[in-house]
Amino acid sequence: MDDKLYMLLLGCKPQGRHTEQHDIFFGIGTSLKDLIPGILEFWPGAGKIHIDAWREVTAVEGYTIKVKPRGSRHTDANGLRLFFVNLGGYKENDFEEYHYKCLSVAPDTAKAIQQAKAQVFWKHSISPHIDDKYGIDVDDIFEIEEVLAPQAKEQYTLIIEKTEISTPDELHPGYLKLSKLN
């Protein structure tokens, strides 16, 4: 079986908190079960962690995403990188900050942010954060290879290739206990 890149929305209610907390986890493995040790190391002291949504990352914006062993022969000279972008915004008269999490293929952070600003999120009556009127506030942006666990960074690299035919990744929303992973 080939190694795959996974994006998970983790949830838990740490001791002393009043509401469920969330974070995004990126990991590499052949299955979700392979990710459990990395998940537990990623969020120490979190208590009972569960998965609220996940996807196997294979296609983003007309590009295929492949995981290859570091040092293997491959042709990845296009200078593109895979970014995770967390956009934030508000609805009038709603006591909540909404977030839209997306992936972007771009040569740099600035281009990834520009692409994220065009996402569907802003078309759903949500007012984006404004930073001194300079534009939409991006709550977080990370290059995926930088947020992988140290062992995964040492072992793997991501190959990004343009494709004419791209099937969107299947999203899997819903509560999933780590103990239920096979």
Side-chain angles (χ1 to χ4, degrees):
M1 262 188 176
D2 290 336
D3 288 304
K4 302 172 249 185
L5 175 66
Y6 289 92
M7 176 180 175
L8 284 66
L9 174 63
L10 301 178
C12 71
K13 188 175 172 189
Q15 187 175 355
R17 299 293 179 190
H18 298 293
T19 60
E20 184 175 327
Q21 311 289 294
H22 292 94
D23 206 344
I24 294 292
F25 173 81
F26 290 92
I28 295 175
T30 57
S31 69
L32 286 174
K33 185 177 181 177
D34 291 345
L35 305 178
I36 293 174
I39 291 169
L40 298 174
E41 187 176 310
F42 171 74
W43 205 345
K48 292 184 179 180
I49 299 173
H50 61 273
I51 299 171
D52 279 315
W54 66 274
R55 80 188 257 190
E56 181 183 323
V57 180
T58 62
V60 176
E61 301 172 339
Y63 292 89
T64 59
I65 311 298
K66 297 176 185 171
V67 174
K68 297 290 182 188
R70 194 164 287 287
S72 64
R73 300 181 81 182
H74 55 80
T75 56
D76 183 32
N78 59 20
L80 295 173
R81 300 179 291 170
L82 181 61
F83 291 91
F84 165 71
V85 184
N86 184 30
L87 305 169
Y90 301 96
K91 284 186 178 182
E92 189 173 335
N93 298 316
D94 201 345
F95 194 77
E96 184 68 54
E97 178 185 7
Y98 293 92
H99 287 93
Y100 183 75
K101 294 149 182 57
C102 62
L103 297 176
S104 182
V105 172
D108 55 45
T109 303
K111 183 68 174 172
I113 289 171
Q114 179 185 8
Q115 290 171 271
K117 288 179 180 180
Q119 294 290 333
V120 188
F121 178 68
W122 308 115
K123 298 174 186 168
H124 293 284
S125 302
I126 295 176
S127 302
H129 297 296
I130 302 296
D131 277 344
D132 299 322
K133 298 184 181 181
Y134 289 112
I136 294 170
D137 182 28
V138 175
D139 281 358
D140 307 286
I141 182 164
F142 300 103
E143 184 179 346
I144 302 302
E145 287 200 49
E146 295 303 315
V147 296
L148 290 171
Q151 181 180 348
K153 284 190 233 183
E154 291 171 11
Q155 279 187 286
Y156 301 102
T157 189
L158 300 180
I159 306 301
I160 302 168
E161 298 174 325
K162 186 74 173 153
T163 182
E164 295 298 320
I165 302 170
S166 180
T167 304
D169 292 337
E170 183 178 356
L171 303 180
H172 303 272
Y175 186 90
L176 177 60
K177 292 181 179 181
L178 297 184
S179 62
K180 298 291 183 189
L181 297 177
N182 297 325

